[in-house]
Short mmCIF file of all heavy atoms in Angstrom, two decimals:
data_model
loop_
_atom_site.label_atom_id
_atom_site.label_comp_id
_atom_site.label_asym_id
_atom_site.label_seq_id
_atom_site.Cartn_x
_atom_site.Cartn_y
_atom_site.Cartn_z
N SER A 33 174.26 77.93 43.35
CA SER A 33 173.98 77.15 44.58
C SER A 33 172.50 77.10 44.71
O SER A 33 171.77 78.13 44.20
CB SER A 33 174.59 77.81 45.82
OG SER A 33 173.90 79.04 46.19
N PRO A 34 171.89 76.14 45.37
CA PRO A 34 170.47 76.00 45.57
C PRO A 34 169.89 77.18 46.34
O PRO A 34 168.71 77.61 46.14
CB PRO A 34 170.19 74.68 46.37
CG PRO A 34 171.57 73.93 46.08
CD PRO A 34 172.56 74.92 45.90
N SER A 35 170.62 77.76 47.21
CA SER A 35 170.08 78.87 48.03
C SER A 35 170.24 80.21 47.43
O SER A 35 169.40 81.07 47.67
CB SER A 35 170.93 78.90 49.39
OG SER A 35 172.30 79.00 49.28
N ARG A 36 171.20 80.44 46.52
CA ARG A 36 171.46 81.77 46.01
C ARG A 36 171.41 81.86 44.47
O ARG A 36 171.44 82.88 43.99
CB ARG A 36 172.96 82.27 46.30
CG ARG A 36 173.20 82.39 47.94
CD ARG A 36 172.44 83.64 48.33
NE ARG A 36 172.78 84.72 47.73
CZ ARG A 36 173.88 85.57 47.87
NH1 ARG A 36 174.68 85.27 48.94
NH2 ARG A 36 174.00 86.71 47.23
N GLY A 37 171.07 80.73 43.90
CA GLY A 37 171.00 80.73 42.48
C GLY A 37 172.34 80.90 41.81
O GLY A 37 173.23 80.47 42.27
N ASN A 38 172.27 81.58 40.62
CA ASN A 38 173.47 81.81 39.84
C ASN A 38 174.43 82.74 40.72
O ASN A 38 174.13 83.77 41.21
CB ASN A 38 173.32 82.48 38.54
CG ASN A 38 172.72 81.49 37.48
OD1 ASN A 38 172.69 80.31 37.68
ND2 ASN A 38 172.00 82.01 36.54
N LEU A 39 175.70 82.26 40.73
CA LEU A 39 176.83 82.99 41.37
C LEU A 39 177.70 83.55 40.38
O LEU A 39 178.16 84.66 40.37
CB LEU A 39 177.49 82.08 42.47
CG LEU A 39 176.69 81.52 43.66
CD1 LEU A 39 177.47 80.47 44.43
CD2 LEU A 39 176.14 82.68 44.41
N ASN A 40 178.12 82.61 39.45
CA ASN A 40 179.16 83.02 38.38
C ASN A 40 178.82 81.90 37.34
O ASN A 40 179.74 81.08 37.17
CB ASN A 40 180.46 82.99 38.86
CG ASN A 40 181.45 83.64 37.91
OD1 ASN A 40 181.19 83.78 36.71
ND2 ASN A 40 182.56 84.08 38.34
N ALA A 41 177.67 82.02 36.68
CA ALA A 41 177.11 80.98 35.80
C ALA A 41 178.06 80.66 34.59
O ALA A 41 178.19 79.55 34.09
CB ALA A 41 175.81 81.36 35.25
N ASN A 42 178.85 81.66 34.11
CA ASN A 42 179.79 81.55 33.04
C ASN A 42 181.15 81.35 33.30
O ASN A 42 182.09 81.65 32.36
CB ASN A 42 179.42 82.67 32.02
CG ASN A 42 178.09 82.72 31.44
OD1 ASN A 42 177.48 81.66 31.14
ND2 ASN A 42 177.47 83.99 31.50
N LEU A 43 181.50 80.94 34.56
CA LEU A 43 182.92 80.92 34.91
C LEU A 43 183.68 79.95 34.00
O LEU A 43 183.09 78.84 33.65
CB LEU A 43 183.15 80.75 36.44
CG LEU A 43 182.71 79.33 37.04
CD1 LEU A 43 183.80 78.18 36.73
CD2 LEU A 43 182.43 79.48 38.44
N ASP A 44 184.95 80.15 33.81
CA ASP A 44 185.81 79.10 33.21
C ASP A 44 186.70 78.45 34.37
O ASP A 44 187.50 79.15 35.04
CB ASP A 44 186.86 79.94 32.28
CG ASP A 44 187.72 78.94 31.47
OD1 ASP A 44 188.29 78.06 32.10
OD2 ASP A 44 187.95 79.04 30.35
N PRO A 45 186.38 77.16 34.52
CA PRO A 45 187.20 76.53 35.66
C PRO A 45 188.63 76.60 35.62
O PRO A 45 189.31 76.65 36.66
CB PRO A 45 186.55 75.15 35.63
CG PRO A 45 186.08 74.89 34.21
CD PRO A 45 185.64 76.22 33.68
N ALA A 46 189.23 76.47 34.44
CA ALA A 46 190.67 76.51 34.34
C ALA A 46 191.16 77.92 34.61
O ALA A 46 192.12 78.02 35.44
CB ALA A 46 191.02 76.07 32.92
N GLU A 47 190.51 78.88 34.16
CA GLU A 47 190.94 80.27 34.34
C GLU A 47 190.76 80.69 35.87
O GLU A 47 191.64 81.28 36.53
CB GLU A 47 190.05 81.24 33.65
CG GLU A 47 190.38 82.72 33.70
CD GLU A 47 189.48 83.58 32.81
OE1 GLU A 47 189.30 83.30 31.61
OE2 GLU A 47 189.05 84.58 33.36
N MET A 48 189.64 80.15 36.50
CA MET A 48 189.48 80.51 37.87
C MET A 48 190.43 79.79 38.75
O MET A 48 190.84 80.28 39.85
CB MET A 48 187.98 80.27 38.35
CG MET A 48 187.73 80.54 39.79
SD MET A 48 186.01 80.84 40.17
CE MET A 48 185.76 82.55 39.39
N ALA A 49 190.75 78.53 38.39
CA ALA A 49 191.64 77.65 39.27
C ALA A 49 193.05 78.39 39.18
O ALA A 49 193.76 78.40 40.23
CB ALA A 49 191.72 76.31 38.67
#
Side-chain angles (χ1 to χ4, degrees):
S33 77
S35 59
R36 296 292 303 277
N38 286 339
L39 298 172
N40 190 339
N42 298 315
L43 68 80
D44 181 317
E47 182 179 311
M48 182 157 283

